[in-house]
Structures are given as C-alpha cells and as structure tokens.
Amino acid sequence: MKEKAQQTLRSLPSVEELLQSPNLIPLFERHPRELVAGAVREAVAAARERVLHGSHPETWDRLVQPAQLVALAISLVESWTRHHLRRVLNASGVVVHTNLGRSILPQAAVERVVEAACRYSNLEYDLESGARGSRHAHVEGLLCRLTGAEAAMVVNNNAAAVLLMLAGLATGREVIVSRGQLVEIGGSFRIPDILRLSGAQLVEVGTTNKTRLADYEAAVTSETGLLLRVHTSNFKVMGFAEETSIEELVGLARNWDLRVADDLGSGALAELPAFRGEPTVGASLKAGADVVSFSGDKLLGGPQAGILLGSEETIALLKKHPLARAVRVDKMTLAALEGTLHLYRDPEAARAAIPTLRYLDRRAGETEALATALLQQLERALERDGLRATLGVEGTAAKAGGGSLPLLELPSHAVTVRPEIGSIVALEGALREAPLPVVGRVAQDTLYLDVLTLETEELPLVAESVTWALERLACVPACDT
Ligand SMILES: *Cc1c(COP(=O)(O)O)cnc(C)c1O
C-alpha cells in the first residue's frame, strides 16, 4: 500500500508540465496566469493529499493522469471566477421568499439605484443651503404624505428599526409586551432577545392566546417606558384568542405618559384583496401610535430597509440616538426606496409596476395561461433534445412568504414534472446546479414549478434549465464511469 502510494506520487506530473496543456489555453485568454497556475497547483496538491491519506487506491492511477488534473484545475478556475451571488428563477410559489432575496425591485427603482451607485449625489448635502443635509430627507416627505405620519426615518432593516425603537425609547425602563407577541421572526431574531440587547426590561403580560387591556393596566408602574405591540407576522393563533387593539394601548399610554411602539412587520401600504384584515401603517398611526416600524422588502415590495414613522418628537429622538449611526441605511437602498415609494402616489401604477404587488394580485386565469405556455415550451424543448418526462399543469395554493399573511393561499398554477430517469430529489438537485438555477417545490414525488412569480420572458429560461437538469439525470450513470 505504502509502496503503491510512493509509486503513484512519483508519477504525479509537475505543475510546469501541466501548465503546457492545450486545454488551458482558453483560460489564459480570460484569466491572469497566476490564477490558472494556482488552480493547477491546488489540483496537484488535492491529488497528492488523497494518495497520502490512502483513500480509494483503485482510483489513484486515474487521479494522477494529466488530463484529469487539468480538468480539475479548469473546474476550480470556473468556481473561483463565477459570481457567487447569482440570479435564480423563483418557481417556488412563494412571492416574498427571504432566501431568494424577498422582493425584486420595480424598474423605476432600479434606475434610481444605478444613478445613485455610479454618480455623486446630494446624499447628505442640502442643495438649497449648501450645508450638510440629512439622508432621511430624501424619503421623509414622501413617506409622510403616503401614510399621514408627522415624521419618518429609514434604517438598514426592520430588525434594526425595532432595536432602535427599544434602545431609543426604553433603555433602563420596562417594556410591556403581550405573551402572545413574544415571537421569533426567523434567523434567530426573537423579541425577548432584542429587548434584552436594547437594555430594556421585558414585562410579559396576558397569555399566549388572550391579552386584555386590563393585563397591560395591571403591569404599568413608574418604571414603565413603553408599550410594545408586535405583529405576529408568521403565525396565527386561531379560535379562543384576543389581542388588545392599538387604540386601547394608546388610551392607556396617554393616561400614564407612556409611548406606544408598533412593530408591524410587513407594513403593507397598498390595498390589495390579499391584504384584507392586515393591520395597516395608516391605521396604526391614526390610532395614535408614537412610532411604527416595518420592512421595506416584504409587502411594500422595495429594497431591504427598516422604515420608522411616527410623531415629530419620537422620530427626532431616534434620529439623534447613537445607534442610528450604526444601523444607517445606504444610498443605494435610499434610491431604491424613493423610486418604489414614488410609484405608490398612484395606487394603480403601484400594483402594475411593483413586482411583489403584481404577483400577489395575479388572477388564476393569468397563472393558468402562464403554466400552459411553460408546459408547451418544456414539451418542445424535451422533444428537441430527445428527453422524456411526465408533464402536466396543476392548480396550486401559493404563499405570500416573508413571514407575512401565513394563512393566505394565493390561487396559482404550476407545471408538474416527473422524470423517467432518476429520482425527483436528483432532478431538484440538478435544477439547483443548472447554469441558471431554478428553485421549485417537491411534493408527492412530483416537482412543482409554480409560475406565480415568473415573467413571460422567463418561461423559456425555465424550460432550458429543466431540460439541462433532465439531460444531466439521463447522463449521470454514464458520466460516473
Ligand atoms: C420581518 C419582521 C421583522 C424583521 O424585519 P427585517 O426587515 O427582516 O429585519 C421584525 N418584526 C416583524 C414583526 C417582522 O415580521
């Protein structure tokens, strides 16, 4: 065994030798020589490592062949130089898919981002006075006009907005929260943890399913600084359940000279049938909440951001807080948000131009037509390439996602795929490895490609990726030998 290892290592070609390979010539045209040489060195080192560790001696002879090493080096160069953050096609049936980037931006917002990114701007420069300006000014007026708020500011995301509300309004004081609202939002963002981090003291009241005004009243002391309501975005307590309204909390707060903060989570500004029953930003402000916060990239359909709206006095406190600098929003986000918010001045335009709203508002007739078109394109592509699979179109119940509207079922349609060769899990995996990956959903041994979040011009791309994946499945046994 040791002898075979020594013998194999002696036959390992040198890096210099391998660099002469004609197969590497195209790489030298596109990449620095040092990068290619690095990949060759790494390929040789990997082969040496395998032999030294004595694993699978029967593969060694093949491992040290120059062609094999060069192929490995080429795939290393490809993986090093490919962008890691890449486009995928969302066929998951989830509109605001946090893992797929939540909302995609309307074109008008993208144009604002490009300009902000590649030109100097008045980000913090007051063009009227020539003095230093505030980055909040770019969206504050618009946000106030759209929602009726007195003042507004924007931070990096809603998690940061909640932290800033708590730190700015309740550090060293008690914050009263309903037990039914001590939620985990995801990614280990838990309200009790954020409260502790802010230096405020959590006072839980009520029960998981019912919290009444009297529960809050009984808990107010001279140490109380804030009443916090948290929208239980990603779940619902059904049946024997009761929450205290924001009006009631405001009434209590006025009697005791306290503030009310409302973490709305998604904070929809548009009026879609899908949003019926959701607490709205305007309603919360009208009821008298001192400050409300919500995400920019959930049901608003804009960039990742945390939007804070409220009274002049409360927002001024938050703007001055040292933490505000740490959670500051960047200029590209502001540009995207302003571009998105401008569309909201005309609700009709907003529904048509903001992809998240358009997808949430799609009719079953439209998704059926899209799914039928995708089915036909896929059938043609499979026939062209001599591939086979069982295809169909089915109605689906798609989701809003992003921890919003957990019970809502959006009527949509999907193309169903069952491969003739290989498992459904293998097909799903191959689709993720495609040059343009597709994220679908597997259920009942079927791959569902939901069209709710696909554009007509994306359908041929989905068809090509599925064809690529089926081809891959068909050739796996051959490719492994
Ligand atoms: C989503 C959500 C957050 C976190 O918002 P991000 O924008 O993801 O930081 C906080 N609170 C609630 C209620 C949410 O739904």
Side-chain angles (χ1 to χ4, degrees):
M1 175 82 160
K2 259 229 165 81
E3 209 159 292
K4 167 151 184 177
Q6 290 304 328
Q7 199 183 339
T8 310
L9 287 180
R10 270 196 300 277
S11 69
L12 204 54
S14 75
V15 171
E16 280 317 310
E17 257 172 82
L18 292 170
L19 281 170
Q20 307 300 319
S21 163
N23 288 355
L24 291 177
I25 291 171
L27 292 193
F28 289 127
E29 283 164 12
R30 284 184 283 126
H31 306 291
R33 189 180 170 80
E34 196 36 50
L35 185 128
V36 182
V40 172
R41 269 196 298 276
E42 194 152 314
V44 172
R48 175 175 290 124
E49 200 64 14
R50 280 251 308 255
V51 173
L52 281 176
H53 280 100
S55 58
H56 298 288
E58 71 282 1
T59 64
W60 291 355
D61 286 338
R62 189 159 157 268
L63 208 62
V64 297
Q65 278 167 17
Q68 196 68 23
L69 291 162
V70 166
L72 178 57
I74 290 172
S75 73
L76 278 174
V77 168
E78 272 166 11
S79 80
W80 291 349
T81 55
R82 191 172 60 197
H83 286 157
H84 199 273
L85 181 60
R86 286 187 296 151
R87 175 182 183 181
V88 307
L89 294 161
N90 177 8
S92 67
V94 180
V95 179
V96 182
H97 197 309
T98 297
N99 302 146
L100 304 185
R102 287 203 181 153
S103 287
I104 56 174
L105 291 176
Q107 194 50 40
V110 172
E111 281 155 22
R112 304 312 305 148
V113 175
V114 170
E115 185 163 295
C118 61
R119 306 287 179 193
Y120 291 107
S121 63
N122 61 338
L123 179 64
E124 285 190 353
Y125 182 75
D126 185 339
L127 288 170
E128 245 172 68
S129 65
R132 191 196 162 129
S134 157
R135 66 178 63 211
H136 300 295
H138 306 296
V139 289
E140 184 163 20
L142 197 48
L143 279 168
C144 291
R145 280 195 297 283
L146 287 170
T147 62
E150 280 176 28
M153 72 183 289
V154 180
V155 296
N156 181 58
N157 59 11
N158 191 33
V162 174
L163 180 61
L164 182 59
M165 287 198 296
L166 293 170
L169 307 176
T171 296
R173 312 288 302 275
E174 291 178 356
V175 177
I176 305 180
V177 193
S178 160
R179 287 204 167 85
Q181 297 172 1
L182 290 173
V183 299
E184 170 170 318
I185 305 301
S188 74
F189 179 82
R190 293 170 154 201
I191 294 297
D193 298 342
I194 291 295
L195 252 154
R196 203 170 310 120
L197 196 63
S198 73
Q201 179 81 38
L202 169 65
V203 176
E204 307 175 25
V205 295
T207 60
T208 307
N209 55 329
K210 284 211 178 203
T211 305
R212 302 188 182 83
L213 182 62
D215 296 319
Y216 288 89
E217 263 165 356
V220 174
T221 70
S222 58
E223 299 302 310
T224 310
L226 189 71
L227 307 182
L228 173 68
R229 178 173 83 160
V230 182
H231 185 32
T232 58
S233 315
N234 48 12
F235 74 100
K236 260 234 150 46
V237 178
M238 307 288 284
F240 193 60
E242 187 177 324
E243 282 192 324
T244 308
S245 73
I246 205 83
E247 284 86 355
E248 289 175 297
L249 293 183
V250 168
L252 176 63
R254 294 285 175 269
N255 288 340
W256 288 85
D257 207 19
L258 303 169
R259 286 198 182 82
V260 173
D262 192 5
D263 171 12
L264 280 167
S266 298
L269 288 189
E271 284 183 24
L272 294 189
F275 297 169
R276 212 163 287 143
E278 270 293 282
T280 69
V281 177
S284 215
L285 290 166
K286 209 159 143 201
D290 297 275
V291 55
V292 306
S293 79
F294 56 99
S295 293
D297 54 356
K298 291 184 179 171
L299 301 181
L300 186 79
Q304 177 190 304
I307 298 167
L308 288 150
L309 305 172
S311 69
E312 194 81 58
E313 184 255 338
T314 305
I315 296 293
L317 266 179
L318 300 183
K319 281 180 181 166
K320 278 205 306 269
H321 194 278
L323 198 55
R325 175 62 179 80
V327 297
R328 178 165 96 173
V329 68
D330 103 298
K331 63 184 176 187
M332 286 184 272
T333 303
L334 275 172
L337 186 60
E338 187 184 10
T340 308
L341 290 171
H342 265 290
L343 295 166
Y344 273 96
R345 288 175 308 171
D346 175 358
E348 204 69 40
R351 279 202 296 274
I354 298 172
T356 294
L357 299 186
R358 191 154 49 79
Y359 299 151
L360 288 168
D361 205 26
R362 262 185 171 163
R363 299 296 126 119
E366 193 186 343
T367 55
E368 184 167 21
L370 278 168
T372 307
L374 176 57
L375 175 71
Q376 286 164 356
Q377 293 178 22
L378 198 47
E379 280 169 347
R380 275 201 298 276
L382 294 194
E383 189 170 314
R384 177 198 67 202
D385 294 354
L387 293 162
R388 286 154 70 94
T390 311
L391 306 175
V393 167
E394 272 184 41
T396 62
K399 289 298 205 182
S404 315
L405 312 165
L407 302 185
L408 180 72
E409 297 196 332
L410 299 160
S412 177
H413 287 82
V415 167
T416 57
V417 187
R418 280 192 209 94
E420 288 200 352
I421 302 170
S423 68
I424 200 72
V425 174
L427 174 61
E428 192 247 1
L431 268 177
R432 282 188 272 108
E433 283 172 32
L436 181 48
V438 178
V439 179
R441 192 165 46 81
V442 170
Q444 288 125 27
D445 230 23
T446 304
L447 175 72
Y448 287 82
L449 300 169
D450 202 306
V451 296
L452 187 65
T453 55
L454 293 173
E455 301 293 341
T456 304
E457 56 278 15
E458 288 180 319
L459 300 182
L461 305 177
V462 176
E464 283 316 308
S465 288
V466 174
T467 310
W468 185 95
L470 286 168
E471 195 140 10
R472 171 91 178 242
L473 250 59
C475 97
V476 159
C479 300
D480 258 4
T481 55

